[in-house]
Amino acid sequence: MSQPKPEILAKAKTWLTDVFDEETKKEINNLIENNPKELEDSFYKNAEFGTGGMRGVMGVGTNRINKYTLGKNTQGLSNFLKREFSGASLKVAIAYDCRNNSKELAQVVANVFSANDIEVFLFSDLRPTPELSFAVKDLDCHCGIVLTASHNPPEYNGYKVYWQDGGQLVPPQDKALVEEINGLAYEAINFDANTDLIHKIDKDVDEKFIDESVKNGSFDTSAEAKANLGIVFTSLHGTSITMVPPVLEKAGFTNVTIVEEQREPDGNFPTVKSPNPEEPEALKMALDIAEEKGADIVIGTDPDCDRLGIAVRNSDNKLELLNGNQTMIVMTWFLLEQWKKADKMDGNEFIASTIVSTPMLKNLSEAYGVEYKEVLTGFKWIAKLIKDHPELDFIGGGEESFGYMVGDFVRDKDAVTSTLLACEISAFLKAQGSSFYKKLLELYTTYGLYKEELISLVKKGIEGEQEIKQMLIDLREKPWETIDGEKVVLVEDYQSSIAKNQNDHTETQITIPKSNVLIYYTEDGTKIAARPSGTEPKIKFYFSVNTSLESVSDFEDKNKELKEKISRIKAELQLG
C-alpha cells in the first residue's frame, strides 16, 4: 500500500488535536493507516463555495462536509454578519432537506449561530429550498442557510447561503465571506449553543408560503379544467412532499396521484439510481403509473425541491420527458400571455435566463416587447437582477438545468410554484383542445426550432481537477475555427471578459461577472458552451443548434436533422 504524501499527512494530523472529537480522530487515523488515497482526497484542498454554495461528499477532512467545515463556515458567517450589520440584532433562518445527516448538521449550524448571539429560526422538519428563501424575507432575517446537495448522489451534502433579499450570496459579499472563513482556525468555532436564541418554525411560515405559491402560480383556469387534468407526482424521496400536494390541493387540482413508493423522505433514495428529475430513469415509476392511469402530465422534483422534471403527452400520445429549455419556453410564453391579457405590460418588465440556456427565450421576449436579461449559471444571478433593477417587474425566468422561478416572492428556483404553473398551463391548454406539447411545437414554428443537449464529463480527484483545467486551457489556446463545417464567428471568454469577433478580429467587453466559461458561436447560430461545474467534479458542454420550422407536421424530420447535427459535432470535437 502506498504511503500518504507528507503534506497531506501533516494536514491530516492537525485534525488529531483536542479541537476535534474522538470519532473524527479515530476515522482520520483509520484513513492514515488503511486508505491513503481517500485521505488525500479528504485533505488535498478546502471545500469551496461554487455556483450553489458549498457542496461535497460527507466525511472527515477539509475537503468534506462535516460539523467542522460547516461549523467554520458558520463561525465565519457570524463574524461577517456582525461587521456588515454592526449593532443590529441579527436573525437567520435555517432549513434542511432529506439528506443523510442534514437535520443533525442543521442543528450544528443553529448552535454556532446562537453561540455567537444570533437569533435563529430553524424549521422543525425538512422543507423545500424555495421556502427558506421565502422565510428569510418573511421573517426579516439578515441571512438564511439551507443544508442540501440538490440532486447529487447520497454521499453528498451541502451548505447554501442566502442574503436579506432571499437570494443566494453574490459578489462582493461572497468573496469577503470566503476570505473570512479561510482566515479562521478550527479552534475559533464556538459550538456552545444558546438554546434561548433558537426558535422552531413550521406552520405559520408554511401557510404563508402556500398562499403565495397559489397566488403566483394560478390564473383563470376553470375548476372543471383543473379536475379534468390527470397528474402523477413524485417527490423522489425529497422535501417536496411537504409542500407540493397542499399547494396543488389549495389551487383546485383534485386529480392528483402521488407515487407512494417514493413519498417517504429518504437520503438513500432507495428506488432510484439518482434523484435527478433531469434523468428519465428517475421518473420511470411515475411514468409507469401515468401510463396505467392515462394521466396527462408527470412531474418529479429533486430532493430539495428547486428543480422539476416534466413529462407530457407527445404527438403520438406517449409520455415524453421535456428538457429544461423546453419547459422554460412554454412557461415563459404562458406568463407573458397572462400579463398581456391582464394589460399589465407597460415596457418595464423583464424575463431572465442564463448564458448556457436556449437562445430561443430571447426571441420570445422580443416578440412580446419585454426586456431579456442574461446572466451566469445559477439562480443567484437572476435573483440579483431583481435586486439590482427595482424599477422593473420580473415576470419569470429559468435555466436549462430544470429550474424556474415565477415572480419574485422567492428569490431562487422554485419547483413548488413551478409545479403548480405546469399543471395550470396543461389544464388551460387541454380545455382548449391543445396540450403543453402541442403549444411547444407551435412556438417552434413562430420563434424557430431550437434543440439543446448537455454532456457532463466526470473527472474526480486531484487528477480530474487538473484535467478539467487543462481542457479549458487548450480551448483558449487552440480555439475551434469551424464546427460541423460552419465558421466560428464569435468566442466569448467569461474569464477574461472578452468577446472576440473571429471575422474582423475586434474585441468587446463582457459586462457580466467573470467566470470560467467559454462560448462559441457559428455563422449559422450554433452555440457551444464549456464550463466546469461549480459544485461537482465535472466539466459540462452545452450544445444549441437551430433551424426554421414552417409547419408542426415537419417537426419530426427537422428535429431528427438537428439531433444528427449534434451527434456530428460531438464526434468531431471528441466529446461524446
Side-chain angles (χ1 to χ4, degrees), residues 519-547:
I519 303 182
Y520 287 77
Y521 299 86
T522 75
E523 57 193 343
D524 291 343
T526 294
K527 172 183 172 184
I528 300 177
R531 63 175 281 269
S533 170
T535 53
E536 300 173 84
K538 293 179 179 179
I539 182 168
K540 297 183 176 184
F541 291 89
Y542 304 80
F543 304 87
S544 177
V545 295
N546 69 89
T547 188

Side-chain angles (χ1 to χ4, degrees), residues 203-219 221 223 226 231 242-256 416 420 424:
K203 288 184 181 177
D204 288 347
V205 177
D206 290 346
E207 288 170 3
K208 291 179 189 176
F209 179 71
I210 289 168
D211 287 345
E212 285 297 314
S213 293
V214 172
K215 177 183 172 184
N216 281 269
S218 294
F219 295 89
T221 305
K226 290 177 179 180
I231 303 164
T242 64
M243 281 295 119
V244 169
V247 163
L248 290 176
E249 183 180 2
K250 182 153 192 173
F253 287 92
T254 55
N255 190 3
V256 181
V416 178
L420 172 58
E424 190 84 15

Side-chain angles (χ1 to χ4, degrees), residues 28-200:
I28 288 169
N29 277 318
N30 180 52
L31 292 179
I32 291 171
E33 293 170 14
N34 301 310
N35 198 338
K37 189 171 189 333
E38 179 66 19
L39 183 78
E40 181 178 41
D41 203 48
S42 299
F43 281 98
Y44 82 92
K45 67 175 183 176
N46 295 333
E48 300 168 346
F49 276 82
T51 53
M54 178 182 283
R55 201 184 297 178
V57 174
M58 289 178 281
V60 298
T62 59
N63 189 34
R64 293 288 183 259
I65 298 294
N66 53 64
K67 66 179 284 188
Y68 298 103
T69 52
L70 298 195
K72 189 178 176 184
N73 287 351
T74 308
Q75 184 63 54
L77 181 52
S78 298
N79 298 348
F80 183 69
L81 288 168
K82 288 179 179 181
R83 279 206 314 275
E84 287 283 300
F85 305 102
S86 179
S89 297
L90 296 171
K91 298 191 292 185
V92 302
I94 302 172
Y96 57 92
D97 70 2
C98 61
R99 297 244 157 211
N100 296 327
N101 304 314
S102 276
K103 186 169 188 174
E104 294 78 10
L105 289 170
Q107 188 64 56
V108 168
V109 171
N111 292 347
V112 175
F113 276 130
S114 70
N116 285 276
D117 298 318
I118 296 173
E119 193 171 9
V120 177
F121 296 92
L122 173 64
F123 275 99
S124 61
D125 205 348
L126 75 173
R127 289 294 188 280
T129 288
E131 189 173 356
L132 183 278
S133 173
F134 174 80
V136 169
K137 290 202 292 181
D138 182 60
L139 297 169
D140 196 26
C141 291
H142 295 84
C143 83
I145 302 293
V146 177
L147 280 297
T148 177
S150 189
H151 57 280
N152 281 46
E155 63 270 21
Y156 280 76
N157 214 319
Y159 183 97
K160 293 169 73 171
V161 182
Y162 291 75
W163 213 232
Q164 279 181 302
D165 65 324
Q168 288 183 57
L169 202 63
V170 292
Q173 287 95 345
D174 58 353
K175 184 179 178 183
L177 173 60
V178 170
E179 288 174 355
E180 175 70 34
I181 292 168
N182 289 344
L184 278 179
Y186 287 100
E187 290 86 345
I189 306 168
N190 188 349
F191 288 109
D192 190 13
N194 179 351
T195 55
D196 292 340
L197 291 178
I198 302 175
H199 316 292
K200 294 294 178 70

Side-chain angles (χ1 to χ4, degrees), residues 471-521:
M471 289 176 80
L472 285 156
I473 289 170
D474 291 344
L475 282 173
R476 288 187 168 93
E477 293 181 349
K478 305 167 193 170
W480 299 320
E481 295 181 2
T482 61
I483 297 171
D484 195 38
E486 301 168 17
K487 183 181 178 184
V488 172
V489 294
L490 182 67
V491 180
E492 294 175 338
D493 187 342
Y494 287 81
Q495 187 163 272
S496 65
S497 298
I498 292 173
K500 294 183 179 180
N501 185 309
Q502 303 298 90
N503 286 329
D504 58 18
H505 305 291
T506 57
E507 296 182 354
T508 55
Q509 200 73 17
I510 296 171
T511 56
I512 67 176
K514 290 181 183 293
S515 184
N516 192 9
V517 182
L518 278 169
I519 303 182
Y520 287 77
Y521 299 86

